[in-house]
Amino acid sequence: MSFILDYYNYWVVVFLMMTGFYIVISANNLVKRIVGLNIFQTSVFMLYISMGKVNGGTAPILVEGVDVYSNPLPHVLILTAIVVGVATTAVGLSLIVRIKRAYGTVEEHEFETQGDVI
Amino acid sequence: MFEQHLAALPIILPLIAAPIVLILGRSTFAWAFATLVSAAACYFSWQLLWVAFDSNVISYAVGGWPPPWGIELRVDTTNAFVLLAVTALSTLVLLYAKDSIENEVAPSKHALFYTAHLLCLAGLSGILLTGDAFNLFVFLEVSSLATYTLVSLASDRRCLVAAFRYLMMGTIGATFILIGVGMLYMKTGTLNMLDLASRIDLYDSSRTINSGLAFIMVGVSIKLALFPLHMWLPPAYTHAPSAVSAFLAGTATKVAVYVMIRFIFTVFGVNHVFEEMGMDLILMALAIVAIFKCSYMATVQSNVKTVLAYSSVAQIGYMILGLSLVSAAGLMSGLIHIFNHALMKGALFMAVGAVFYRVGSVDISAFRGLGKQMPLTMAAFTIAGLSIIGVPLTVGFVSKWYLVTAALEQSHWAIAALVLAGSLLAVIYIGRVLEAAYLQSASPDSEPVREAPWLMLLPMWLLVLANLYFGIDTSLTTDAASSAAEWLFQTTESAAQGSAQ
Amino acid sequence: MTLLIDLVLLAMLALTALRIIFLKDLFAVVMLFGIYSFLSALIFVNLDAVDVAFTEAAVGAGISTVLMLGTLALTGRNERECERSSLLPLLVVCVTGAVLIYGTLDMPPFGHADNPVHEHVAPRYIQDSPQEVGLPNMVTSVLASYRGFDTLGETVVVFSALIGVLALLGVRREDNSLTPESGLKSHLVLHVVAKLIIPMIILFALYVQFHGDFGPGGGFQAGVIAAAAFILYALVFGLPSAFSVVSPKFLQVMASLGVLLYASVGLYSMAKGGQFLDYNKLAANPIDGQHYGIIIIELGVGITVFAVMLSIFYAFSSQVARLNIR
């Protein structure tokens, strides 16, 4: 039982990561792929934040009379990673808008058949 | 003052210059300023290489916080050597870009091009110099985002799809690296590469570390376009503006090769990756398939930029083959090839870009008769092409020589033979272009073509001369690469002994 | 109790993610993604990562969702059926998932205080940073000072995104007479409420910006919130009026200046004889130096993020406006 309690969080996070990854590589619509990418990345963030948690700890902001804090380092890393994620999303979505204008579609199989994609 | 900050300057300079270029806005100012900054970065990385020769390691604690608490920039001959190739190629490409970009990119986007180029340079320098695993991820994303932008700047609509696929693959790769770094951090509590190395040894057989290794290797393999994860590369390099292809082919994937070397030799240690996990066999098999499959693909393409793109994937195969030999000689051949390949592919893509500038097409049929009409451009293409093939007196020969020697040192006769056989395929794909240029005549109804402008020829020929110079006087490249390879092996072995005690 | 909350949230996340796979209506997909993002922000709160939760809610659920909706307005809201084999992706995902599960087996147990993560580097951040850096919020200390170089990189990534979006979409200043009036412009209630709310949002952004040293928040969150105020203004009063308040060109200069402000702190500390971004050298007293450094770089982050987020919104909505004119 303690084994499950110790690891359930990681397993669910792995499941979420793989759901996102599946959407990324299987979806046909480019917008949906970007959504999948975001789900994939957000779940990776959960993996990082899970490892920073200390049972009985509190948020890493100094308070009188508290001496168990969760680890601030994963939080910092993920703050950075979230920003990187939204930057990638913005560029990806702009590409989609341009692809729609150039090819008239954002479905992978439809512009593949237009002949000029290698 | 500069000596003290030598390790930080190649990152900081382009990073600060990028927003200034955006504010400057005007095309010519932006170009001149970006080129100057890139040249300064190149000068400082040259200095850095000499300091690294003398003192082996330079450590620079950003923010004044000692590692592992703060972020450390850590320079040795390995990254100083690759950095020199990256900054030098960046400077030459920027010189070349003025005419090429005016022809291929809408005028309103010129300043954006130079900004993105500098951001890409800053990102690549950051990846090379940092000694922190997470900081590496951040700079990887800086360079990647700039790269997607650069690829999508071309006027052909196909560049958009190519850039989008590149973005998807690149982001998946970066996320895999993030997962891998997370697993290492979870087990060791640190992100500094050296500190990781010493603490990973405590958990050598841990399943978490092994799985982290797998994720980092797959993520980096996507970034360096290792067969079979290379599918994003040929379209991206084919449809990007010529100046962008010239820059990326020589730098982006090669920096990823450096990242792989860094993780294998410094962070995980050769013993762990190769002897316990057996990764050398996997890498060797993939490298050989890459060399043959992609060289063959290069021989059947009709677009010359696609030919060169597939050739790039094949050349990455040679680098990975070198490091999969697990010897100082093999690693050295890989490092030399990173430097030399930047010289050859840079020159080849520049020549093809010059043809596009004058003829407006890079189809193999467009090269007919160009030997007479654009003699300087085609001579540059020829010499750089001979270099790819590995003809003596060129840098390509030097790379192949060290690779074959390293293979023979371990009595891998078959591998040495395969390397030579791969060169034969290069003869075919370069030969097809040369045949069109020199032996076929231009169709009579086509308009006469003039030689490319001098500002394109100058950087192209500087690279060609470098191809010849470093093919004859190999002291700089071999000294740097061999001291880098020996240093990497030395540190990885001393780390292994340290953990054994 | 925390365990129970955690389990419920994780189950809801799993259901949301699974639903997204099978949905063909992209509008619903994007909405579910917003929900996913909010749920994960709740998970972050539950795991004590308040700063991260704040950012995830502002960025994942806020900006990302808005941008996705903007894209859908241009590309259509239905995914078309396609006869593509899903066997290969499934295989790839299973293999990757298996490697991950294999990796979890040796992971340190969840939440134990003696895990390696909590022992090597982190104790200094927790025990010494209030004295060394002088801030109660350890996340801000680590973000802005110990790992300030990462944050500079992060600001540059945001700036790169601006370059990418400008290169791809550009921001067009349409002729005012051609642009259709915003559909919301005729709603008097919206007008009045927006006028009331916008100053408060900006005030809140400033609070988040400058209170980040003591509580959750900082330049990044503040930038996003301030951008949200202007996005609301643009939605209610139309894009042209927003352009006349903050012009796209001005935003580009602002974004550049934010990055330069951040980097110039580093250059100044170099001139004072320290390493790049060494705030101790900024003032005679190192603690004061840390304070000045962190305030200025957070300001740089805030300015850049605000300008970039608003510019990206401008770029997307001017595309939509262009489509409407046709």
Side-chain angles (χ1 to χ4, degrees):
Chain A
M1 185 61 199
S2 82
F3 181 68
I4 295 177
L5 269 182
D6 283 344
Y7 290 99
Y8 77 95
N9 199 298
Y10 297 135
W11 291 332
V12 179
V13 167
V14 167
F15 176 78
L16 294 175
M17 265 153 72
M18 287 307 107
T19 316
F21 188 39
Y22 178 77
I23 300 173
V24 177
I25 56 179
S26 73
N28 209 13
N29 184 292
L30 302 186
V31 182
K32 201 165 169 183
R33 283 188 167 203
I34 293 281
V35 172
L37 200 59
N38 272 290
I39 290 179
F40 184 28
Q41 288 186 324
T42 311
S43 319
V44 176
F45 303 161
M46 272 182 244
L47 177 74
Y48 270 79
I49 299 299
S50 305
M51 64 174 107
K53 169 75 181 168
V54 177
N55 284 338
T58 172
I61 298 172
L62 191 69
V63 181
E64 288 286 319
V66 178
D67 36 56
V68 183
Y69 296 101
S70 283
N71 187 344
L73 185 53
H75 302 180
V76 173
L77 305 180
I78 291 319
L79 273 176
T80 308
I82 290 177
V83 180
V84 169
V86 72
T88 316
T89 304
V91 175
L93 291 174
S94 331
L95 274 167
I96 293 177
V97 170
R98 284 285 302 279
I99 288 175
K100 169 75 179 181
R101 216 192 297 159
Y103 287 87
T105 175
V106 290
E107 308 281 326
E108 184 89 24
H109 65 285
E110 285 181 8
F111 58 70
E112 259 171 5
T113 54
Q114 292 196 11
D116 63 352
V117 179
I118 42 168
Chain B
M1 141 148 204
F2 285 131
E3 293 75 44
Q4 189 197 342
H5 301 293
L6 219 44
L9 286 173
I11 309 173
I12 302 174
L13 278 180
L15 203 147
I16 293 179
I20 297 179
V21 166
L22 185 69
I23 296 178
L24 280 179
R26 287 273 296 285
S27 175
T28 316
F29 288 156
W31 168 73
F33 184 68
T35 314
L36 272 180
V37 168
S38 175
C42 182
Y43 171 75
F44 288 124
S45 53
W46 171 257
Q47 298 269 310
L48 198 55
L49 181 60
W50 288 104
V51 179
F53 264 137
D54 292 339
S55 56
N56 277 329
V57 168
I58 305 154
S59 169
Y60 185 93
V62 182
W65 298 109
W69 293 279
I71 292 172
E72 180 193 21
L73 303 178
R74 201 172 176 82
V75 190
D76 53 20
T77 24
T78 317
N79 45 15
F81 183 51
V82 182
L83 181 71
L84 179 64
V86 169
T87 50
L89 188 63
S90 154
T91 312
L92 291 174
V93 165
L94 277 172
L95 270 182
Y96 171 89
K98 184 164 191 311
D99 288 319
S100 174
I101 288 305
E102 267 169 22
N103 182 39
E104 292 178 39
V105 176
S108 59
K109 294 179 184 168
H110 289 173
L112 293 174
F113 167 83
Y114 296 115
T115 315
H117 183 100
L118 285 176
L119 288 172
C120 187
L121 178 63
L124 294 175
S125 309
I127 299 172
L128 287 171
L129 296 180
T130 186
D132 188 282
F134 190 83
N135 194 234
L136 185 142
F137 164 78
V138 174
F139 279 110
L140 190 70
E141 287 291 325
V142 172
S143 72
S144 304
L145 273 181
T147 311
Y148 311 142
T149 309
L150 288 171
V151 170
S152 67
L153 277 172
S155 46
D156 186 332
R157 67 172 182 170
R158 284 172 291 185
C159 77
L160 299 171
V161 178
F164 187 80
R165 292 193 175 152
Y166 189 5
L167 181 135
M168 290 313 274
M169 287 303 278
T171 311
I172 292 173
T175 311
F176 272 43
I177 294 174
L178 190 65
I179 296 173
V181 170
M183 286 176 153
L184 298 190
Y185 174 60
M186 198 179 238
K187 275 309 233 187
T188 60
T190 182
L191 291 161
N192 182 282
M193 290 185 191
L194 269 190
D195 204 26
L196 270 173
S198 61
R199 294 175 67 87
I200 278 177
D201 289 329
L202 304 174
Y203 302 97
D204 242 353
S205 55
S206 140
R207 286 174 281 199
T208 308
I209 297 280
N210 286 345
S211 146
L213 170 68
F215 273 95
I216 289 176
M217 290 298 267
V218 173
V220 177
S221 298
I222 293 178
K223 284 285 182 186
L224 64 80
L226 181 63
F227 184 89
L229 301 171
H230 68 286
M231 292 316 290
W232 58 267
L233 188 144
Y237 285 11
T238 305
H239 300 300
S242 310
V244 174
S245 308
F247 180 57
L248 293 184
T251 58
T253 45
K254 311 312 172 282
V255 169
V257 174
Y258 160 82
V259 174
M260 182 176 263
I261 291 176
R262 185 56 85 197
F263 269 105
I264 291 177
F265 288 89
T266 302
V267 177
F268 288 100
V270 180
N271 287 333
H272 184 194
V273 180
F274 289 148
E275 281 164 28
E276 289 162 30
M277 303 277 290
M279 289 245 180
D280 51 337
L281 291 176
I282 304 175
L283 286 180
M284 191 182 282
L286 291 178
I288 290 173
V289 178
I291 293 172
F292 281 93
K293 177 85 197 312
C294 295
S295 295
Y296 167 74
M297 289 301 285
T299 63
V300 296
Q301 301 298 324
S302 64
N303 183 320
V304 178
K305 275 173 99 179
T306 322
V307 171
L308 296 181
Y310 274 108
S311 157
S312 283
V313 184
Q315 302 298 321
I316 290 160
Y318 288 112
M319 292 167 205
I320 300 299
L321 185 61
L323 88 120
S324 73
L325 290 171
V326 204
S327 66
L331 182 58
M332 174 192 163
S333 81
L335 285 170
I336 281 196
H337 199 44
I338 290 181
F339 186 90
N340 290 348
H341 181 261
L343 302 179
M344 325 176 204
K345 267 294 152 49
L348 282 171
F349 270 112
M350 282 184 186
V352 174
V355 170
F356 185 79
Y357 184 81
R358 285 299 185 209
V359 186
S361 162
V362 286
D363 210 67
I364 220 162
S365 59
F367 277 67
R368 283 185 192 142
L370 285 186
K372 286 205 186 73
Q373 293 176 314
M374 299 178 77
L376 286 173
T377 305
M378 286 319 295
F381 187 93
T382 311
I383 297 172
L386 292 178
S387 194
I388 284 276
I389 296 167
V391 174
L393 299 183
T394 61
V395 286
F397 177 73
V398 180
S399 303
K400 295 258 164 73
W401 172 263
Y402 282 107
L403 182 55
V404 170
T405 330
L408 292 181
E409 196 178 72
Q410 301 178 355
S411 316
H412 285 310
W413 293 94
I415 289 180
L418 287 172
V419 169
L420 297 176
S423 295
L424 290 178
L425 285 168
V427 173
I428 299 177
Y429 62 72
I430 294 295
R432 282 171 71 228
V433 182
L434 295 184
E435 190 215 348
Y438 287 106
L439 300 181
Q440 298 177 7
S441 52
S443 58
D445 53 333
S446 65
E447 291 180 13
V449 178
R450 284 186 298 135
E451 183 53 83
W454 69 271
L455 200 52
M456 292 174 104
L457 287 172
L458 176 74
M460 191 193 304
W461 271 93
L462 281 175
L463 278 177
V464 169
L465 292 178
N467 263 297
L468 297 172
Y469 177 79
F470 290 113
I472 299 163
D473 176 12
T474 57
S475 55
L476 173 77
T477 47
T478 48
D479 282 357
S482 67
S483 91
E486 274 161 24
W487 171 250
L488 282 173
F489 259 89
Q490 208 182 328
T491 47
T492 189
E493 271 162 19
S494 66
Q497 281 163 3
S499 69
Q501 276 161 8
Chain C
M1 191 60 201
T2 346
L3 178 71
L4 197 65
I5 297 176
D6 208 34
L7 280 174
V8 171
L9 287 174
L10 285 172
M12 284 162 82
L13 277 170
L15 286 176
T16 318
L18 279 176
R19 189 74 192 102
I20 290 177
I21 297 184
F22 301 105
L23 266 180
K24 293 283 171 204
D25 180 355
L26 292 169
F27 183 75
V29 165
V30 171
M31 284 295 124
L32 280 178
F33 167 71
I35 291 171
Y36 187 90
S37 207
F38 265 128
L39 286 172
S40 44
L42 290 177
I43 292 246
F44 294 150
V45 174
N46 207 23
L47 297 178
D48 301 336
V50 279
D51 277 276
V52 179
F54 198 165
T55 315
E56 178 64 35
V59 169
I63 297 286
S64 294
T65 312
V66 167
L67 294 182
M68 284 172 187
L69 289 178
T71 313
L72 285 190
L74 294 158
T75 60
R77 65 178 278 182
N78 282 308
E79 184 185 16
R80 260 163 254 165
E81 289 292 338
C82 165
E83 303 293 312
R84 227 168 79 164
S85 162
S86 55
L87 224 54
L88 182 67
L90 203 59
L91 187 72
V92 172
V93 165
C94 287
V95 172
T96 321
V99 176
L100 271 172
I101 295 286
Y102 172 80
T104 60
L105 296 181
D106 271 344
M107 277 184 187
F110 173 66
H112 287 205
D114 50 358
N115 287 345
V117 182
H118 308 305
E119 284 187 336
H120 182 46
V121 175
R124 174 164 177 178
Y125 298 144
I126 295 174
Q127 282 148 21
D128 300 344
S129 84
Q131 286 83 47
E132 283 180 332
V133 183
L135 296 183
N137 187 351
M138 299 156 200
V139 175
T140 306
S141 300
V142 181
L143 182 91
S145 189
Y146 293 96
R147 295 188 71 89
F149 201 46
D150 262 355
T151 310
L152 176 62
E154 162 192 348
T155 316
V156 173
V157 169
V158 175
F159 181 72
S160 310
L162 171 71
I163 301 297
V165 173
L166 285 180
L168 285 162
L169 301 181
V171 184
R172 273 179 197 72
R173 246 171 188 260
E174 301 294 346
D175 192 1
N176 274 0
S177 57
L178 281 177
T179 318
E181 298 276 288
S182 162
L184 305 174
K185 210 167 180 176
S186 49
H187 292 267
L188 190 64
V189 177
L190 271 178
H191 259 228
V192 175
V193 173
K195 274 184 181 163
L196 274 175
I197 286 181
I198 289 171
M200 285 202 265
I201 300 181
I202 293 177
L203 209 59
F204 181 55
L206 289 173
Y207 169 78
V208 171
Q209 170 82 45
F210 293 107
H211 198 258
D213 304 356
F214 307 98
F220 188 75
Q221 294 93 331
V224 173
I225 293 171
F230 284 85
I231 290 175
L232 178 63
Y233 183 80
L235 284 176
V236 175
F237 296 95
L239 208 50
S241 19
F243 278 5
S244 60
V245 177
V246 198
S247 81
K249 190 69 201 162
F250 177 69
L251 283 179
Q252 288 174 30
V253 175
M254 252 181 106
S256 309
L257 288 180
V259 177
L260 289 176
L261 185 62
Y262 197 138
S264 62
V265 174
L267 293 183
Y268 186 70
S269 63
M270 275 159 95
K272 285 279 182 180
Q275 311 278 61
F276 188 64
L277 293 177
D278 187 347
Y279 310 142
N280 283 344
K281 300 284 186 295
L282 296 180
N285 180 353
I287 301 289
D288 288 344
Q290 292 286 344
H291 266 285
Y292 296 145
I294 289 174
I295 286 183
I296 299 173
I297 65 116
E298 287 273 12
L299 197 62
V301 174
I303 292 174
T304 300
V305 168
F306 162 74
V308 171
M309 293 303 154
L310 193 54
S311 292
I312 292 177
F313 174 79
Y314 277 178
F316 274 86
S317 51
S318 69
Q319 294 287 321
V320 179
R322 202 174 139 196
L323 190 80
N324 290 344
I325 292 167
R326 291 222 192 111

